[in-house]
Amino acid sequence: MKVLVTGGLGFIGSETVIALYKNGHEPVIVDNLSNSKIEVLDNIEKVSGKRPTFYKVDCCDYEGFKKVFEKEGKMDAVIHFAGLKAVGESTKKPVEYYTNNLLSSLVLVRLMKEFGMKNIIFSSSATVYGVPERVPLVETDPVGHATNPYGETKIMIERILQDAAKADSSLNVCLLRYFNPIGADPSGLLGEDPNGIPNNIMPYISQVAAGKLKTLHVFGNDYPTPDGTGVRDYIHVVDLAEGHVAALKKLATNPGVVIYNLGTGKGTSVFELIAAFEKATGIKIPYVIDPRRPGDVAENYANADKAFEELGWKAKLNVEDACRDSYRFQTTTASK
Ligand code: NAD
Ligand code: UDP
């Protein structure tokens, strides 16, 4: 399939481009480089041996984006990664988040309609479930109480796509709700390289290990979890990327709207993650215990059975693999 990949130079998008090539598809990337670097394109080529067509275009720019559709002709599907994703930042810049995430999606849906493109995979998030009433989370659990503007944009875009599919029965929509993506391409060439001090734990630990940061701050050890630290479902980005390839196959069967959790189904605590990192790299991670981070929940992990039953997809790599790959990326390619 010829697949349009918005945000294809980002962390998850670039790894998905690798998976698309591996599975015989042809990716076309659109990215405005707001949170990625053009060098990623070279690294995609180094890993896959192929250089994807790339357009530096903002998905909110209808005219610019339309030119991509005109130039590329028939494309079979779009995977929509483009968006702003920092939870904390979204509470400080809500209007920017609503504008970028909603407008880019609306422009995309409009162009899909104009050019007769019928298949879309959307990068949603476990954040749409809000504060979980129980774990593991299943796809039928209630949606609609996100704790921040970023999460609200995911809920709204899910709804927009569902309504669009209701009005046009030939439209196929796959909502993929990611849990906690970590890891990097095993080559060390593609990964997550956040600007400034990382908000997420994996890049933070990697930077501590590489000597860029001094000490990990563990946010709370008084949660009602086995060791008192927060539990999450960490999924290797290579597995996540394969999930998109499986979803494309599903879209080809004209399923209408389908929703899948992409997680491992297994919870890992902060202390377990630190131990896995130390085991994988042999590097000791110094840490201090800080108070709980506002808005964090004790436990969040997926029931990932539906993706296995309907897509034949499940995570194969473990947190140790992810720690090793993140560290490799941190020490070879990430900004020093
Ligand atoms: P990322 O920031 O690395 O990638 C997003 C890419 O989109 C970047 O390259 C950025 O330059 C581009 N982009 C942003 N706005 C754009 C626009 N208007 N037009 C064109 N390009 C634009 O993020 P990621 O971690 O790869 O996440 C990809 C998607 O998955 C996002 O939608 C994110 O919300 C979602 N998601 C991520 C996580 C996570 O923890 N990483 C979890 C759940 C969902
Ligand atoms: N966390 C931490 N220190 C950090 C960043 C995160 O202890 O510097 C904890 C956080 O409280 C949560 C887990 O690590 O329990 C995962 O946080 P992250 O921000 O990576 O993802 P989230 O699940 O919040 O989206």
Side-chain angles (χ1 to χ4, degrees), residues 180 199-201 204 216-219 230 232 234 270 293 296:
N180 287 55
N199 294 305
N200 297 113
I201 191 154
Y204 204 109
L216 173 69
H217 296 258
V218 174
F219 299 145
R232 296 292 183 273
Y234 296 99
V270 173
R293 182 170 63 178
D296 276 1

Side-chain angles (χ1 to χ4, degrees), residues 70-117:
E70 284 168 349
K71 185 112 195 288
E72 288 300 322
K74 185 179 177 305
M75 294 186 282
D76 302 289
V78 55
I79 310 181
H80 184 38
F81 293 105
L84 299 173
K85 64 158 181 177
V87 171
E89 188 184 56
S90 80
T91 62
K92 295 187 187 96
K93 298 180 178 174
V95 177
E96 283 88 336
Y97 270 67
Y98 284 115
T99 305
N100 187 68
N101 292 4
L102 292 176
L103 192 56
S104 59
S105 304
L106 289 167
V107 167
L108 173 61
V109 175
R110 179 173 166 197
L111 286 167
M112 287 177 70
K113 190 165 187 189
E114 285 175 22
F115 287 82
M117 191 201 262

Side-chain angles (χ1 to χ4, degrees), residues 201 205 216-223 225-232 234 267-279 284-290 319 323:
I201 191 154
I205 295 183
L216 173 69
H217 296 258
V218 174
F219 299 145
N221 65 350
D222 56 352
Y223 283 109
T225 59
D227 66 20
T229 64
V231 167
R232 296 292 183 273
Y234 296 99
T268 301
S269 74
V270 173
F271 282 159
E272 285 170 335
L273 189 65
I274 296 172
F277 194 97
E278 291 180 342
K279 190 160 172 230
K284 193 113 196 88
I285 302 297
Y287 67 81
V288 292
I289 306 290
D290 275 16
V319 283
C323 290

Side-chain angles (χ1 to χ4, degrees), residues 118-315:
K118 296 294 182 189
N119 299 309
I120 178 166
I121 296 174
F122 174 60
S123 294
S124 191
S125 164
T127 188
V128 301
Y129 296 116
V131 178
E133 276 167 30
R134 62 191 166 103
V135 283
L137 285 153
V138 289
E139 288 84 350
T140 47
D141 279 338
V143 160
H145 309 282
T147 51
N148 53 75
Y150 164 75
E152 289 297 337
T153 70
K154 294 294 176 195
I155 292 170
M156 289 175 188
I157 299 163
E158 282 201 356
R159 210 161 284 156
I160 289 166
L161 293 174
Q162 284 171 311
D163 285 345
K166 241 184 242 165
D168 174 0
S169 61
S170 66
L171 197 60
N172 298 304
V173 173
C174 180
L175 307 176
L176 295 180
R177 294 178 181 157
Y178 312 154
F179 279 68
N180 287 55
I182 59 168
D185 189 78
S187 65
L189 289 166
L190 300 167
E192 191 178 10
D193 191 9
N195 294 323
I197 297 182
N199 294 305
N200 297 113
I201 191 154
M202 195 72 236
Y204 204 109
I205 295 183
S206 301
Q207 292 192 17
V208 170
K212 194 173 169 185
L213 293 169
K214 271 209 171 71
T215 311
L216 173 69
H217 296 258
V218 174
F219 299 145
N221 65 350
D222 56 352
Y223 283 109
T225 59
D227 66 20
T229 64
V231 167
R232 296 292 183 273
D233 188 339
Y234 296 99
I235 174 156
H236 198 301
V237 68
V238 167
D239 281 329
L240 195 61
E242 285 294 338
H244 294 76
V245 177
L248 272 182
K249 221 168 154 186
K250 179 74 182 180
L251 287 185
T253 67
N254 287 322
V257 178
V258 282
I259 306 177
Y260 300 103
N261 286 339
L262 294 187
T264 64
K266 185 181 173 297
T268 301
S269 74
V270 173
F271 282 159
E272 285 170 335
L273 189 65
I274 296 172
F277 194 97
E278 291 180 342
K279 190 160 172 230
T281 63
I283 298 167
K284 193 113 196 88
I285 302 297
Y287 67 81
V288 292
I289 306 290
D290 275 16
R292 295 180 182 188
R293 182 170 63 178
D296 276 1
V297 298
E299 285 192 292
N300 200 349
Y301 58 94
N303 176 322
D305 292 350
K306 191 177 172 210
F308 182 60
E309 282 155 19
E310 296 188 13
L311 304 178
W313 171 91
K314 72 170 194 283

